[in-house]
Amino acid sequence: MNMTPSEAVALVETLKPLVANDEADVVFCVPAIDIIPAMEAAKGSNIEIGAENMYFEEKGAYTGEISPAMLVDAGVKYVIIGHSERREYFAETDETVNKKVLKAFEHGITPIICCGETLTQREQGITIDWIRQQIKIAFLNVTAEQAKTAVIAYEPIWAIGTGKTATTAQAEEVCAAIRACISEIYDEATAETIRIQYGGSVNAGNAAELFAQPDIDGGLVGGASLKPDFGKIVNYK
C-alpha cells in the first residue's frame, strides 16, 4: 500500500530508462487505484503493470473487491495472489488462493502465487512440508499447460521488510523443493518451465548471487522496487 496515482506515475517515469533490459521481464504490481495511470505511464516501455490482488467472483455484492474482468479491461496481465500480508491481515487461506488462481487462469491473467513460512515454522523444521502444502493446494485443478505459465514467489515471511534475507543456500533449497513439488504434481517439463522467484529483502547488493542459483528465476521485490536502485536489480549482471 504505497504511492498515490501521481506518485506511481512519477516512479514509472523515473524507472523506465533504468529497467530497460531485453533479457528481463519487468512487472510492477501496484494498488488498484494506480493501475490505469501507471499503465499509461508505462506505454512504450518494457514495463508491464500488474495488480496486487483480485477476487475470485466475476461480479456481485463484494464491496471493495476487484474482479478479474475489471483487471483484464484495464490491460492487466499479472496478479499477485496469496501474499503473506493478505494471508495474515485479510484471512486468505490456501483454499481462497486456489480459487483466485483458477479464476486468474480463466481470464488469461498470469498469477504470481506466493508461498512462505514464518520464523517459528522454520525453527521447527517444517519449512519444506509447509511450502509443499501451500503449493499443492494452490495448484489444485490447474492443468499442466496453465501451470507452465504461472509464477511462484517464495517469500520467507521472516525476511519481508525486516532487512533479514534468507541465505542464498536457504533460498535455493526451498525454490528447488518447490520445483520438485511441481514435478511431482505434473512432470519435469512443467517444473522446468515454471518461473520460481525469491522475495524477501531482495536488493541491489544480493540480487546477482540469488538470481545465479539454478532454481531461482527472478525476484518478487518489495521496498527496493520503490527506489531508482531497482534498476540495478533488473540489470544485475
Side-chain angles (χ1 to χ4, degrees):
M1 194 173 67
N2 286 295
M3 298 211 165
T4 64
S6 59
E7 290 170 340
V9 167
L11 180 64
V12 171
E13 296 290 356
T14 298
L15 289 175
K16 274 196 293 191
L18 303 180
V19 301
N21 183 337
D22 292 338
E23 298 180 9
D25 293 327
V26 181
V27 182
F28 291 165
C29 292
V30 302
I33 198 170
D34 295 347
I35 289 173
I36 291 176
M39 194 84 65
E40 287 295 316
K43 280 184 177 177
S45 74
N46 64 318
I47 297 171
E48 295 275 7
I49 301 299
E52 293 183 343
N53 187 33
M54 180 198 80
Y55 200 51
F56 51 77
E57 296 288 354
E58 297 289 341
K59 60 182 180 179
Y62 306 104
T63 301
E65 291 294 336
I66 305 294
S67 76
M70 293 174 188
L71 295 183
V72 169
D73 192 63
V76 168
K77 297 178 181 177
Y78 295 85
V79 60
I80 297 174
I81 293 177
H83 192 282
S84 61
E85 291 158 6
R86 298 294 313 174
R87 296 175 190 255
E88 180 179 359
Y89 303 130
F90 304 103
E92 291 196 8
T93 65
D94 291 338
E95 288 74 20
T96 58
V97 166
N98 176 243
K99 288 182 178 181
K100 292 184 178 187
V101 167
L102 293 171
K103 187 58 68 171
F105 280 127
E106 186 180 321
H107 284 264
I109 304 172
T110 298
I112 301 171
I113 304 161
C114 296
C115 60
E117 83 283 12
T118 64
L119 185 58
T120 299
Q121 288 160 347
R122 174 160 283 277
E123 289 175 341
Q124 292 302 310
I126 63 170
T127 294
I128 301 301
D129 291 338
W130 181 263
I131 299 297
R132 283 173 57 85
Q133 174 179 301
Q134 289 184 315
I135 294 300
K136 286 195 170 187
I137 296 175
F139 282 84
L140 187 64
N141 296 321
V142 173
T143 68
E145 289 307 305
Q146 290 173 327
K148 286 177 182 177
T149 67
V151 178
I152 298 174
Y154 166 56
E155 291 193 306
I157 297 169
W158 49 271
I160 299 174
T162 62
K164 296 180 181 179
T165 311
T167 66
T168 302
Q170 288 173 325
E172 168 61 17
E173 177 190 22
V174 177
C175 289
I178 292 170
R179 204 176 298 281
C181 185
I182 293 295
S183 182
E184 289 175 23
I185 298 170
Y186 301 104
D187 49 48
E188 285 191 19
T190 304
E192 286 303 313
T193 304
I194 199 167
R195 187 173 301 191
I196 301 174
Q197 301 177 328
Y198 170 75
S201 298
V202 175
N203 57 55
N206 60 30
E209 183 179 351
L210 286 165
F211 299 165
Q213 302 308 303
D215 291 294
I216 299 178
D217 304 320
L220 186 65
V221 184
S225 68
L226 302 174
K227 307 168 186 175
D229 258 12
F230 180 63
K232 296 177 182 177
I233 297 175
V234 173
N235 298 284
Y236 68 94
K237 294 179 180 178

